[in-house]
Amino acid sequence: MITIIPAIDIIDGKCVRLTHGKFESQTVYNENPVAVAKEFEAVGIRRLHLVDLDGARQKRIVNWRILEAIANQTNLQIDFGGGVQSDDDAQLAFDCGASQITAGSIAVNNREMVLSWLDQFGEDKIILGADVKDGKIAIHGWQEYTEIDLSIFLLNYLEVGIRHVISTDISRDGALGGPAFEFYQKIKSQFPEIYLIASGGVSSIEDVQKLNEMGIDGVIIGKALYEGKIQLEELKVYIH
């Protein structure tokens, strides 16, 4: 059964969503992220994808107080990303209550640091963030694009123990046009040992059903929840 993971993206302490990762496209949905997290927990959801978009741009954690508040006021398992660019950032995230951290840009720019995190915190605590456009990895809140091929990127980290991966097809993110099903099927077929979390484009409960039928392990849902395309009640069948 697929795991439902709602997303809360933070800019200036507020819950926002972007389209295609463009900061100028932001929509503020709620000024109280803690209240949003409590709504998710109230229907039985157990996991949360929390992204510090200010941190992603500034290359350091900025909104750590919101992470801390959600961790203190809910029992959600929080995977935290955005600005985790140093040993101090990683430790801060865990100290503030993150269950896992996402290594995205840092996994491209400083492999040795990510390897040290795997040793220090354990493989289950680190999620590899593989954000992709046209098959290539993008970093720093999708503000920079690389020439790194997704398959090579995943293989290099699988070899050192990474098993949890969030992959976003940037062209789909925030567009409510449906996930890149073939993209996720290809990853899962090529790397069946990965715990694969799909992110980007989910627009209906049918999208969730299809990802579940495909054997995808988790799905991050953002704008579809905030815009009422998917109701929290509809997700209860997947809450376990």
Side-chain angles (χ1 to χ4, degrees):
M1 182 76 76
I2 199 166
T3 298
I4 303 298
I5 311 171
I8 293 180
D9 292 356
I10 304 297
I11 292 179
D12 295 333
K14 300 171 184 176
C15 179
V16 308
R17 296 303 294 172
L18 308 182
T19 302
H20 302 313
K22 292 184 170 63
F23 282 81
E24 64 271 19
S25 72
Q26 68 178 277
T27 301
V28 176
Y29 285 103
N30 196 303
E31 297 196 0
N32 187 342
V34 179
V36 176
K38 288 180 176 179
E39 286 180 28
F40 294 149
E41 186 179 41
V43 298
I45 283 168
R46 297 180 182 178
R47 285 192 59 175
L48 178 68
H49 180 64
L50 184 63
V51 181
D52 181 357
L53 288 174
D54 293 310
R57 280 202 289 192
Q58 296 186 34
K59 303 179 184 179
R60 62 179 179 85
I61 294 178
V62 174
N63 289 292
W64 59 271
R65 290 185 184 277
I66 291 172
L67 166 61
E68 187 175 56
I70 292 173
N72 286 339
Q73 296 181 48
T74 75
N75 291 310
L76 293 166
Q77 295 179 357
I78 304 167
D79 73 68
F80 181 82
V84 185
Q85 295 285 304
S86 68
D87 291 336
D88 287 345
D89 284 326
Q91 191 63 60
L92 176 62
F94 287 123
D95 288 347
C96 289
S99 300
Q100 295 173 300
I101 57 173
T102 301
S105 306
I106 193 70
V108 173
N109 295 328
N110 193 334
R111 178 180 169 85
E112 291 306 312
M113 185 174 290
V114 176
L115 296 183
S116 74
W117 294 350
L118 291 170
D119 288 338
Q120 182 178 354
F121 302 114
E123 294 166 2
D124 288 342
K125 294 288 189 179
I126 310 299
I127 303 175
L128 184 66
D131 299 334
V132 177
K133 187 172 184 181
D134 300 325
K136 306 294 185 181
I137 299 293
I139 58 176
H140 296 314
W142 308 340
Q143 305 302 295
E144 298 175 28
Y145 296 95
T146 75
E147 291 301 314
I148 300 169
D149 181 78
L150 172 65
S151 296
I152 294 171
F153 183 67
L154 292 178
L155 184 61
N156 286 342
Y157 274 101
L158 278 170
E159 290 175 346
V160 294
I162 282 283
R163 286 297 177 268
H164 297 259
V165 176
I166 294 173
S167 190
T168 305
D169 182 335
I170 295 167
S171 67
R172 305 285 183 132
D173 188 72
L176 297 175
F181 294 110
E182 292 181 7
F183 171 72
Y184 295 117
Q185 189 71 72
K186 181 179 178 181
I187 296 174
K188 197 65 177 171
S189 297
Q190 191 173 359
F191 304 105
E193 64 271 45
I194 285 177
Y195 184 94
L196 180 61
I197 301 169
S199 172
V202 175
S203 61
S204 67
I205 195 66
E206 288 76 22
D207 289 341
V208 177
Q209 290 167 351
K210 186 169 180 178
L211 290 167
N212 182 54
E213 290 165 3
M214 288 166 53
I216 304 304
D217 301 287
V219 58
I220 292 171
I221 309 174
K223 188 175 283 189
L225 283 172
Y226 296 109
E227 304 239 328
K229 306 289 185 184
I230 299 176
Q231 303 298 322
L232 285 173
E233 291 295 317
E234 292 181 281
L235 296 171
K236 283 190 172 181
V237 66
Y238 297 105
I239 294 171
H240 49 89

